[in-house]
């Protein structure tokens, strides 16, 4: 059997693109990495494998802990990590969800062609940047009352519909129709609500962005037709999450869980994996607060999409309905959902933790919206500012291999500090504009440097692994036209 040595961790090759850390010692299950050898070289360059192995110690974890092809080191649990944990006798871990709860991606399609945009990129990027709040701190499209925030947390995109920021078709094309019914606004601290109150409808900073793209390649024509995609079409990708509210929810519950469940914490190799036993009061409260933050993030992206429609109306002097600016789909990362999966031939309720990973359900799964029930779930994989992004559909093997999950992006190669020491933001902007006709606008040059194309893994290779394993099938590829960042 072929092996791969990464320090004191040995991985065995199960088959092409599947590597396993065998169960040993106090590990409850093996750990698996889904990657090519070149991606594995990058994944093994930090603490990703150590964190993945540590994850196998969580009580109630089933089958194996997983790292997707875009995996890299995170807080406790690697980014790109997936774990299915018994929802009755296991646990739930905020560190295995992440700070930016429901940091996700949505794709807005249009009937515009690239020729409609060509020559107007700067006008469009300036208009979008001026209209959509971005960067650290407060400032959003909507600032309401305490009652408004409570309603957003409880009702998600239903609130947006009732308040004129959405149409029914938007909800029909969003994961879970844009609302987690288990949300409990009372489980969210006032500090978290205050942070969220001034950030509804804002991109934030870091790797969050709004990007106008053109479809350059179609791989599965029948599926692309179902998704409403064709070559040369203009689409808009939005990537952001629950802002300060989600971060505060994670912080609050990590501290509480660390104090209340010290016995469980002492049994884990890393305190950053702090978890609440399934069925405990803190597990239930965290799940309700997390679902509320998920709802907040969906509303956040919805308001940004609403404003994007208005900007396109102003720039192109046509209604968004005439331009057929319709939501293709919205997918969530950084979540733990109660889902039913087959374990040893029997259905079992699991908390499926997806941290920097995307749900990728195949056709026939009951959670899918009617529009995609027969074709499979759209999966959105953003690349960097200088590379393509991808639209996939949930693969037939995803449930068996990954609890219905795949990668969520290209995955970082460099830390933000290393990126700023390597790249100069203004140079990156100039090169993208002059050499690749990609127009980027951000609050600072440092943000551009942190997100330079060279900071990320090869998104083509990440997606090819997903496609080859049958967990996410390539449907279409897009390429940046213009991009705004915090």
């Amino acid at each position: 059997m072929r092996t791969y040595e990464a320090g004191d961790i040995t991985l065995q090759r199960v088959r092409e693109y599947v590597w396993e850390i065998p169960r040993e010692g106090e590990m409850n299950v093996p750990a698996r990495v889904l990657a090519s050898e070149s991606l594995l070289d990058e994944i093994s360059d930090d603490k990703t494998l150590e964190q993945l192995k540590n994850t196998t110690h969580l009580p109630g974890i089933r089958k194996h802990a997983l790292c997707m092809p875009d995996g890299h080191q995170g807080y406790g649990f690697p980014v790109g990590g997936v774990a299915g944990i018994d929802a009755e006798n296991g646990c739930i871990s905020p560190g295995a969800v992440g700070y930016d709860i429901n940091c996700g991606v949505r794709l807005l399609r249009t009937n515009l062609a690239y020729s409609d945009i060509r020559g107007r990129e700067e006008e469009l990027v300036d208009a979008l940047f001026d209209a959509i709040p971005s960067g650290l701190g407060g400032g959003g499209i909507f600032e309401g009352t305490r009652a408004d925030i409570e309603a957003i947390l409880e009702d998600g995109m239903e609130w947006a519909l009732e308040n004129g920021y959405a149409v029914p078709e938007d909800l029909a094309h969003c994961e879970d129709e844009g609302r987690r019914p288990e949300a409990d606004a009372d489980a969210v601290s006032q500090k978290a609500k205050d942070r969220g109150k001034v950030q509804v409808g804002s991109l934030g900073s870091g790797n969050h962005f709004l990007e106008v793209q053109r479809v350059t390649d179609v791989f599965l024509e029948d599926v692309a037709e179902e998704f409403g995609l064709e070559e040369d079409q203009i689409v808009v990708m939005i990537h952001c999450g629950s802002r300060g509210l989600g971060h505060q929810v994670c912080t609050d519950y990590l501290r509480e869980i660390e104090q209340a469940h010290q016995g469980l914490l002492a049994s884990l190799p890393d305190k950053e994996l702090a978890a609440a036993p399934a069925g405990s009061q803190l597990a239930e409260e965290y799940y309700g607060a997390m679902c509320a933050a998920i709802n907040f993030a969906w509303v956040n992206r919805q308001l940004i999409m609403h404003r994007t429609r208005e900007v396109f109306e102003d720039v192109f002097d046509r209604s968004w309905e005439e331009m057929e600016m319709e939501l293709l789909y919205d997918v969530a990362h950084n979540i733990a959902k109660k889902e039913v999966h087959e374990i040893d031939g029997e259905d079992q309720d699991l908390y499926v933790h997806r941290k920097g990973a995307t749900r990728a359900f195949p056709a026939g799964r009951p959670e899918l919206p009617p529009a995609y029930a027969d074709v499979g779930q759209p999966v959105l994989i953003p690349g960097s500012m200088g590379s393509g992004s991808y639209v996939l559909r949930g693969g037939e093997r995803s449930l068996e291999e990954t609890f219905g999950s795949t990668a969520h992006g290209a995955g970082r190669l460099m830390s933000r500090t290393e990126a700023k020491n390597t790249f100069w933001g203004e140079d990156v902007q100039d090169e993208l504009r002059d050499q690749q006709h990609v127009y980027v606008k951000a609050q600072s040059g440092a943000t551009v440097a942190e997100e330079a194309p060279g900071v990320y893994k090869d998104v083509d290779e990440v997606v090819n692994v997903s496609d080859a394993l049958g967990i996410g099938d390539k449907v279409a590829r897009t390429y940046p036209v213009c991009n705004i960042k915090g």
Side-chain angles (χ1 to χ4, degrees), residues 382-394:
S384 71
M385 294 181 291
S387 68
S389 296
Y390 282 87
V391 179
L392 283 61
R393 61 102 177 258

Side-chain angles (χ1 to χ4, degrees), residues 76-88:
F77 193 75
V79 177
V82 176
I85 300 177
D86 190 329
E88 293 182 3

Side-chain angles (χ1 to χ4, degrees), residues 135-402:
L136 292 168
I141 291 169
F142 173 85
E143 182 175 349
T145 64
R146 179 173 178 176
D148 289 322
I149 295 301
E150 299 270 345
I152 288 170
L153 294 173
E154 293 280 351
D155 298 332
M157 279 178 55
E158 290 180 7
W159 176 90
L161 178 64
E162 292 168 2
N163 286 271
Y165 293 104
V167 294
E169 291 76 16
D170 295 336
L171 278 65
H173 292 83
C174 183
E175 188 170 319
D176 297 333
E177 297 183 339
R179 179 175 183 263
R180 294 298 298 173
E182 307 96 330
D184 181 4
D186 292 338
V188 177
S189 70
Q190 190 56 49
K191 184 174 182 180
K193 292 172 184 174
D194 289 342
R195 292 183 70 179
K197 180 174 175 289
V198 294
Q199 295 181 331
V200 186
S202 61
L203 277 177
S205 59
N207 64 344
H208 295 160
F209 64 83
L210 182 149
E211 188 169 86
V212 180
Q213 305 170 338
R214 57 188 171 99
V215 178
T216 56
D217 301 274
V218 170
F219 305 104
L220 295 175
E221 291 190 5
D222 57 336
V223 180
E225 185 176 356
E226 292 285 346
F227 288 179
L229 296 174
E230 61 184 8
E231 288 188 15
D232 209 41
Q233 178 183 8
I234 291 295
V235 296
V236 181
M237 182 174 280
I238 298 167
H239 174 215
C240 61
S242 50
R243 299 296 324 272
L245 182 142
H247 194 284
Q248 192 64 48
V249 166
C250 183
T251 299
D252 290 342
Y253 280 95
L254 274 173
R255 290 173 180 164
E256 289 192 48
I257 289 169
E258 285 173 1
Q259 292 299 314
H261 297 289
Q262 294 183 19
L264 195 160
L265 185 63
S267 72
L268 298 173
D270 186 349
K271 74 171 188 176
E272 293 181 357
L273 288 172
S280 67
Q281 180 177 342
L282 273 178
E284 296 301 315
E285 289 178 356
Y286 171 68
Y287 191 71
M290 180 197 63
C291 287
I294 290 172
N295 288 345
F296 181 92
W298 274 323
V299 172
N300 188 36
R301 291 196 287 276
Q302 181 63 36
L303 265 63
I304 292 170
M305 189 177 82
H306 173 79
R307 181 62 61 85
T308 300
R309 285 167 166 165
E310 293 179 333
V311 169
F312 270 67
E313 287 181 328
D314 291 341
V315 170
F316 297 103
D317 195 27
R318 297 164 61 187
S319 71
W320 70 262
E321 292 91 347
E322 288 179 288
M323 290 180 281
E324 297 178 1
M325 299 185 72
E326 300 166 344
L327 179 61
L328 171 63
Y329 203 60
D330 181 302
V331 295
H333 316 142
N334 295 6
I335 52 173
K337 284 186 178 178
K338 286 182 181 176
E339 296 174 358
V340 177
H341 289 270
E342 185 177 306
I343 306 293
D344 297 328
E346 295 184 3
D347 287 345
Q348 188 170 349
D349 291 328
L350 303 178
Y351 286 123
V352 180
H353 296 66
R354 297 185 180 95
K355 181 178 181 179
T358 304
R359 195 181 77 175
F361 282 171
R365 184 79 183 196
E367 293 94 335
L368 295 182
Y372 303 125
D374 295 331
V375 67
Q377 177 204 312
V379 177
L380 310 173
I381 308 286
S384 71
M385 294 181 291
S387 68
S389 296
Y390 282 87
V391 179
L392 283 61
R393 61 102 177 258
E396 289 295 330
R397 295 186 58 82
S398 67
L399 294 173
E400 177 185 350
E401 298 283 350
T402 60

